[in-house]
Amino acid sequence: MVNVPILHDSAGEVSQTEVKDWSKGECEPIPGKTMHDMVIVDRDYTKIYDKFISLGPNVRNGLAAHGNGYQCADFYEKMLDDKDHLQVVDGKVYPSLCEDEEAANAVLYLSSLTNGELSHRAYQNAEKRTGLKLADISEGAKDVRINYKDLQAKIHRYNQSPVWSGLMNDDRAYSAFTYNVERLVPWRTLTGRQHFYLDHEGYIKFGEHLPTYKPSPRPEAYGELRKSVATGRAKVLNVLTPHGKWHIHSTYGDTLRMLTLSRGMEPCWLSVEDAAELGIQDNDWVEVFNDNGVYSTRACVSARIPKGVCFVYHAVERTYSTPKSQIRGGKRSGMNNSFTRVHLKPNLMVGGYGQFTYHFNYWGPVGVNRDTHVLVQKMEKVEF
Amino acid sequence: MDIRSQISMVFHLDKCIGCHTCSIACKNIWTDRKGAEYMWWNNVETKPGTGYPSKWEDQDTYKGGWEKKGNSISLKGAGKFKGMKSLFHNSNMPVIDDYYEPWTYKYENLFEAKEGDDQPIARPVSLITGEYITPKSGPNWDDDLAGSEDYAKNDVNFKNLSPAEQEAMFQLERMTLHYLPRMCNHCLNPACVAACPSGAIYKRGEDGVVLINQKKCRAWRMCVTACPYKKSYYNWNTGKSEKCVLCYPRLEAGQAPACHHSCVGRIRYIGVMLYDADKIEAAAASNDEDLVQNQLDIYVDPNDPRVIAAAKENGIHDSTIECAQKSPVYKFVKEWGLALPLHPEFRTLPNLFYVPPLLPTMAFVNEEGTYETTSENFWGAIEKSRLPMGYMASLFSAGNEETIKTVLKKLMAVRLHRREETVGDLPKEEAMGAMKDAVMDKEMADAIFRLTSLPLFDQRFVIPPAHREEAMEMLESTADVKGNSGFGFKEPPVRGL
Ligand code: SF4
Ligand code: SF4
């Protein structure tokens, strides 16, 4: 049994107009309505590998994303005609996903972005849902099919698709929501429009129904410096862990090239004033810590940083340059996420209400762990 | 008139995002070798900053480039003759710490460390000595004003700024930075060529690319001192000096140099400039304030019939002349007057031109401490740019502030005009007035806008065919060497060491 959140593009997305907790007896527990859904999935664990290397027949029922579906059974059948790329499992024949190129081609063949016919069908379905004329968008690209070899040979512009909100007709660059603005397709929200005002009980109670200024909570409110004590000259600073200049989380940033083009590790950026107060020079070793954990690194002192704030770009790998922490008894120091933790805001868990309904990577609790308070002090002894 | 052809470049600094993709492309192709680890033929600096090698612009220390002597010029530091005294000890040379000690990490420790209480890590080790080090400098150490007290504040270009101007550049609410990608300028008057006692450095006739003959180089390193841009490097492993080759194998195949090709901000333009070699000496010996104008006067109009005739007489191919006529560099540098040489006072007549960054002050903190976003003009006055005019003039016009202002006025006029066209929220007269002030009409403003914002690959890179087939025929009869490669050897194999 799999527990599933109430999802966008399902009936559940308009089920929760009020905040009622079934676990406290405030309402009757009804899966998919007043509580999360529960789904029974049959899984033959002896067949996992076979499932990985073959494309199952459920694809015949069509594919969908963001509430835009299309039929693709005929294309699935055509894949079965390609005798060189099949898998036979228990006497049944499936399109093969065994080789990397087979898997890539299966995706390209069944995606509306690279199969013009499927894009066209998706727009036809969108016409039915909206009562608008939309299929003209894909008319000219019906015969486009882009496969892996095509992409190896040359850059291709992919098809337009209602899965995405940008229009790319006449060679224009993709720009989000042009589909909604120019073709009058409703936004995927409760009202079909962009919202500035959120009329949900939960948001109103938290005073977040309009985007208004709220001061940052005081360091004590974060509660992350209850136990930590400075062993040297230390100072409480607000720490931020923003995206790095040239890494996407830990990807790319820790290559030798990029480390050479920066400071050889992810430093802690300090303001000139705070560094002077703490007796820290540029490139000195420092410990950045609170009750959650410690990151030992070198300081980067810059006029670019305002007083009272410091930052460490995320996400640091602990595999290189990280010394042992002096304030943690000589244990290997952590990384930027050692001193942060998740602070969940209850209104981020409001769900089942139009656009507030869960969708992976679109709606759900956000990365709220990027901002907290730490003590920063110079590291007198550096050990590896 | 002695017309020659030069492959030249423009970097549009408003577009550079400081991503260093150019540097990586170059590093991966050319300098990923023992002895070359510390070399970045292409590097990108944050300005204000001290750059790489640190404070390279300070010729009181490094003695690079030329100095004016009456109506002529002489090398500032080591040279063929000057260098005699210092042949065996050239004290004006940057040492490895002025660049940085290249490092890698002891990655094998992640696999081979003895079992212990703690997670193993890879410590940095020097690529020269193999010893553990803590990096103290790098090829981009002061990126984004990192260590601003030690680096940005010691920027050589502050020398003519008042303390108040300098202070203002580091006030949080008004500070700024811009990126400065640098590479060999393939100069018209290259100090590296002049300084080499072995005659190993030469400027190619057909396109002006400056190259070091690795067979002739005798490791005197006079070029390292002489190049004021510090773009000739000594390889401690091979014992030869090396520098940017402008990816000539790519150029000859009609492709842009890798740094240009890969540029994410699409800031780079490359094209042919025809120039009159007779004017070089006088231009290099100009007074500081005339240096830029006199250098620009060397480049001639590729559509002028007299120029075309003189070019043909010098054996310049028709296709090269055609490319000169379509050159994006000619447009930026000559037609529009938007691009300037970096540190013209070094007098090497560099062939890389920069469109200076337009960094208007759009808001400021007033006396009451509130953030004020209204200004008289739409984007504030040029003189109130975040970077003082004196700073820009030190970089791009040998101190001549008028030159900088003229360029920035043009850049601003283009923006005002486009804003008026596309958004329409400022009076037409303001845009018209700005264009009139900058001596440009609507057509020119639109052309600048198109080549700045929308150019395709082939508009940014206009590279003439190399005609190597003809160059080859000048040297040897192709019939003689037919069959010599493939199933034969062009050069006999050398056995042993
Ligand atoms: S930039 Fe330096 S190395 Fe390049 S041509 Fe000019 S003087 Fe020579
Ligand atoms: S690749 Fe282009 S945009 Fe990026 S740093 Fe180099 S010059 Fe600037």
Side-chain angles (χ1 to χ4, degrees):
Chain A
M1 189 181 72
V2 181
N3 288 333
V4 183
I6 293 177
L7 293 172
H8 208 358
D9 305 315
S10 73
E13 75 174 3
V14 285
S15 63
Q16 298 194 346
T17 52
E18 316 155 291
V19 181
K20 282 210 169 117
D21 191 342
W22 61 268
S23 68
K24 293 197 182 122
E26 290 166 10
C27 58
E28 194 193 330
I30 309 168
K33 192 155 185 232
T34 62
M35 67 183 297
H36 62 271
D37 230 330
M38 282 168 245
V39 182
I40 305 288
V41 180
D42 276 323
R43 196 63 94 236
D44 181 348
Y45 283 95
T46 67
K47 290 275 181 294
I48 295 284
Y49 178 74
D50 293 332
K51 289 192 179 202
F52 272 134
I53 61 164
S54 59
L55 186 62
N58 280 347
V59 171
R60 284 205 182 96
N61 304 333
L63 291 166
H66 300 187
N68 291 286
Y70 49 87
Q71 307 70 34
C72 56
D74 48 342
F75 285 98
Y76 183 81
E77 299 308 330
K78 278 189 202 157
M79 292 176 88
L80 291 173
D81 291 342
D82 185 354
K83 302 291 179 219
D84 291 336
H85 299 289
L86 296 179
Q87 292 290 335
V88 183
V89 179
D90 294 339
K92 285 210 193 105
V93 181
Y94 304 94
S96 173
L97 301 179
C98 186
E99 298 297 327
D100 44 9
E101 204 169 318
E102 289 173 337
N105 272 328
V107 172
L108 295 170
Y109 196 55
L110 295 172
S111 163
S112 55
L113 296 174
T114 41
N115 182 332
E117 174 60 31
L118 296 181
S119 157
H120 198 55
R121 288 180 195 170
Y123 278 114
Q124 284 168 334
N125 286 341
E127 283 189 337
K128 278 186 216 133
R129 283 161 52 96
T130 58
L132 298 165
K133 194 175 162 309
L134 298 168
D136 57 299
I137 298 172
S138 51
E139 187 66 48
K142 271 196 312 201
D143 292 333
V144 171
R145 307 277 183 276
I146 302 171
N147 65 24
Y148 185 67
K149 283 268 188 289
D150 295 335
L151 292 179
Q152 275 182 314
K154 182 177 178 297
I155 300 164
H156 282 66
R157 223 164 188 232
Y158 52 80
N159 296 323
Q160 310 195 69
S161 162
V163 170
W164 300 100
S165 67
L167 294 174
M168 303 188 297
N169 46 320
D170 288 333
D171 269 355
R172 70 199 273 198
Y174 181 92
S175 175
F177 303 127
T178 42
Y179 183 52
N180 307 87
V181 173
E182 294 173 20
R183 305 305 294 247
L184 306 178
V185 174
W187 264 264
R188 293 171 63 238
T189 61
L190 203 57
T191 57
R193 296 171 181 238
Q194 293 188 326
H195 283 232
F196 283 97
Y197 178 71
L198 311 173
D199 70 341
H200 191 279
E201 190 195 336
Y203 279 80
I204 295 169
K205 279 190 180 150
F206 275 96
E208 302 228 342
H209 44 310
L210 269 177
T212 49
Y213 169 77
K214 276 178 217 65
S216 192
R218 298 183 51 75
E220 300 79 53
Y222 284 83
E224 306 195 318
L225 288 166
R226 293 195 182 117
K227 285 179 269 171
S228 298
V229 272
T231 53
R233 233 158 116 193
K235 203 180 166 189
V236 176
L237 295 175
N238 185 195
V239 68
L240 309 171
T241 58
H243 275 128
K245 177 167 171 175
W246 36 49
H247 40 113
I248 298 162
H249 303 280
S250 63
T251 308
Y252 310 120
D254 55 359
T255 61
L256 179 57
R257 287 279 183 275
M258 298 329 292
L259 288 167
T260 299
L261 284 171
S262 50
R263 288 200 160 196
M265 66 187 303
E266 209 55 84
C268 176
W269 289 69
L270 291 170
S271 70
V272 175
E273 296 86 349
D274 290 329
E277 213 176 296
L278 292 171
I280 293 169
Q281 305 276 322
D282 188 53
N283 213 37
D284 275 353
W285 286 94
V286 292
E287 301 222 64
V288 183
F289 63 101
N290 60 18
D291 297 355
N292 300 326
V294 60
Y295 177 49
S296 310
T297 184
R298 284 180 272 132
C300 178
V301 182
S302 173
R304 190 159 80 95
I305 307 297
K307 190 171 176 241
V309 174
C310 65
F311 66 69
V312 175
Y313 287 129
H314 82 270
V316 180
E317 288 290 344
R318 281 172 81 198
T319 43
Y320 55 87
S321 269
T322 311
K324 291 182 173 167
S325 166
Q326 295 306 308
I327 60 152
R328 291 287 197 272
K331 295 291 285 177
R332 179 81 57 219
S333 151
M335 40 83 80
N336 68 291
N337 275 348
S338 301
F339 52 73
T340 62
R341 70 181 167 103
V342 174
H343 299 268
L344 272 188
K345 259 171 78 175
N347 57 352
L348 291 170
M349 290 179 277
V350 164
Y353 191 61
Q355 67 272 28
F356 304 116
T357 311
Y358 182 80
H359 192 116
F360 181 60
N361 254 356
Y362 284 73
W363 192 271
V366 293
V368 280
N369 53 339
R370 295 274 155 255
D371 179 348
T372 185
H373 293 82
V374 285
L375 283 160
V376 176
Q377 72 182 35
K378 190 168 167 178
M379 215 173 155
E380 299 298 347
K381 200 166 134 210
V382 183
E383 274 179 305
F384 290 93
Chain B
M1 220 175 352
D2 178 5
I3 302 299
R4 299 188 194 172
S5 147
Q6 171 72 45
I7 196 103
S8 310
M9 300 155 279
V10 165
F11 290 0
H12 198 309
L13 294 185
D14 264 333
K15 298 175 74 183
C16 180
I17 54 172
C19 63
H20 298 248
T21 310
C22 47
S23 306
I24 301 276
C26 177
K27 179 105 225 152
N28 286 351
I29 295 179
W30 296 110
T31 56
D32 193 11
R33 293 171 281 124
K34 187 172 174 195
E37 300 96 340
Y38 81 98
M39 296 179 198
W40 292 81
W41 293 356
N42 183 103
N43 76 296
V44 184
E45 295 172 7
T46 298
K47 281 284 171 196
T50 51
Y52 154 87
S54 197
K55 292 185 106 174
W56 62 271
E57 291 158 289
D58 180 6
Q59 304 312 343
D60 293 339
T61 309
Y62 287 124
K63 305 266 189 276
W66 303 87
E67 54 195 353
K68 184 170 159 64
K69 287 270 165 71
N71 288 332
S72 189
I73 50 167
S74 66
L75 286 174
K76 208 174 170 113
K80 252 179 249 174
F81 306 108
K82 239 185 196 171
M84 275 308 170
K85 278 195 291 201
S86 54
L87 206 50
F88 297 99
H89 179 69
N90 178 355
S91 57
N92 302 324
M93 196 124 53
V95 296
I96 195 73
D97 286 339
D98 292 320
Y99 299 95
Y100 72 104
E101 184 162 353
W103 72 87
T104 182
Y105 297 84
K106 216 171 163 60
Y107 292 112
E108 58 270 31
N109 193 49
L110 296 175
F111 300 95
E112 293 164 4
K114 286 205 190 70
E115 203 179 315
D117 293 344
D118 257 330
Q119 172 186 325
I121 51 138
R123 283 177 68 182
V125 283
S126 164
L127 275 169
I128 297 176
T129 62
E131 304 287 325
Y132 285 124
I133 58 167
T134 292
K136 290 192 175 56
S137 57
N140 185 34
W141 196 251
D142 54 351
D143 187 73
D144 285 359
L145 302 180
S148 52
E149 295 295 288
D150 302 329
Y151 306 102
K153 287 209 170 153
N154 289 316
D155 187 315
V156 177
N157 300 290
F158 285 170
K159 59 182 185 301
N160 294 327
L161 299 187
S162 68
E165 275 178 311
Q166 294 186 34
E167 196 45 46
M169 286 181 76
F170 293 96
Q171 280 165 13
L172 198 63
E173 299 295 351
R174 67 154 295 161
M175 69 189 329
T176 191
L177 58 87
H178 70 92
Y179 300 109
L180 183 70
R182 302 202 303 117
M183 55 187 281
C184 168
N185 300 284
H186 298 276
C187 306
L188 286 182
N189 183 35
C192 57
V193 174
C196 178
S198 313
I201 313 185
Y202 61 105
K203 192 167 173 63
R204 288 214 305 198
E206 66 266 41
D207 56 10
V209 173
V210 174
L211 297 169
I212 303 179
N213 184 334
Q214 294 290 296
K215 286 185 183 156
K216 280 174 99 177
C217 173
R218 291 285 170 273
W220 297 117
R221 283 165 279 169
M222 294 302 165
C223 54
V224 178
T225 300
C227 172
Y229 301 92
K230 290 290 160 278
K231 282 296 167 190
S232 183
Y233 304 82
Y234 178 67
N235 182 319
W236 54 263
N237 181 44
T238 60
K240 309 277 177 182
S241 292
E242 298 179 5
K243 61 177 286 301
C244 159
V245 296
L246 205 62
C247 283
Y248 71 81
R250 291 174 60 95
L251 279 182
E252 287 167 12
Q255 288 193 315
C259 54
H260 286 64
H261 191 119
S262 61
C263 176
V264 174
R266 304 177 186 186
I267 81 156
R268 294 176 176 227
Y269 302 80
I270 193 163
V272 173
M273 294 282 260
L274 298 181
Y275 68 96
D276 183 356
D278 287 342
K279 292 189 184 158
I280 289 179
E281 194 176 346
S286 312
N287 292 324
D288 275 1
E289 60 277 15
D290 304 324
L291 267 168
V292 171
Q293 195 49 52
N294 290 352
Q295 177 178 352
L296 297 189
D297 286 345
I298 301 178
Y299 304 100
V300 289
D301 179 358
N303 289 305
D304 178 342
R306 284 168 308 160
V307 169
I308 296 174
K312 288 189 177 183
E313 204 164 298
N314 269 0
I316 295 176
H317 208 277
D318 284 355
S319 56
T320 305
I321 298 172
E322 268 167 44
C323 280
Q325 290 164 347
K326 284 188 260 170
S327 168
V329 180
Y330 188 79
K331 290 202 179 87
F332 272 112
V333 175
K334 289 282 284 190
E335 267 180 56
W336 302 334
L338 288 176
L340 301 168
L342 176 63
H343 287 302
E345 73 279 13
F346 297 162
R347 297 171 189 272
T348 61
L349 307 177
N351 281 304
L352 163 50
F353 301 88
Y354 293 86
V355 179
L358 186 63
L359 295 160
T361 307
M362 296 174 67
F364 57 94
V365 180
N366 66 18
E367 262 117 63
E368 283 94 62
T370 42
Y371 203 56
E372 188 126 18
T373 49
T374 44
S375 57
E376 263 164 54
N377 322 59
F378 194 70
W379 274 315
I382 293 288
E383 290 78 7
K384 291 203 194 120
S385 290
R386 284 170 179 251
L387 286 175
M389 288 300 123
Y391 181 80
M392 304 261 245
S394 166
L395 278 170
F396 301 115
S397 62
N400 187 331
E401 294 189 17
E402 282 316 307
T403 310
I404 292 285
K405 277 186 207 159
T406 310
V407 173
L408 294 182
K409 267 190 188 153
K410 290 185 189 185
L411 293 172
M412 185 62 96
V414 174
R415 277 171 174 71
L416 291 174
H417 162 62
R418 292 303 306 173
R419 177 85 186 191
E420 198 274 313
E421 289 257 298
T422 54
V423 186
D425 63 344
L426 78 166
K428 216 180 182 84
E429 304 77 60
E430 195 179 332
M432 297 295 281
M435 285 197 286
K436 200 163 155 243
D437 247 18
V439 203
M440 79 170 50
D441 55 13
K442 197 172 151 318
E443 282 66 43
M444 182 166 153
D446 284 327
I448 293 170
F449 158 69
R450 277 196 306 275
L451 199 61
T452 302
S453 302
L454 309 167
L456 300 173
F457 223 70
D458 295 343
Q459 290 157 330
R460 282 181 282 138
F461 311 136
V462 181
I463 297 160
H467 297 295
R468 296 305 290 169
E469 69 288 1
E470 289 171 28
M472 163 76 91
E473 277 163 25
M474 282 190 262
L475 298 173
E476 54 193 354
S477 158
T478 41
D480 293 346
V481 290
K482 201 171 162 190
N484 276 13
S485 34
F487 289 106
F489 290 100
K490 197 142 193 309
E491 283 182 36
V494 184
R495 295 202 187 276
L497 287 172

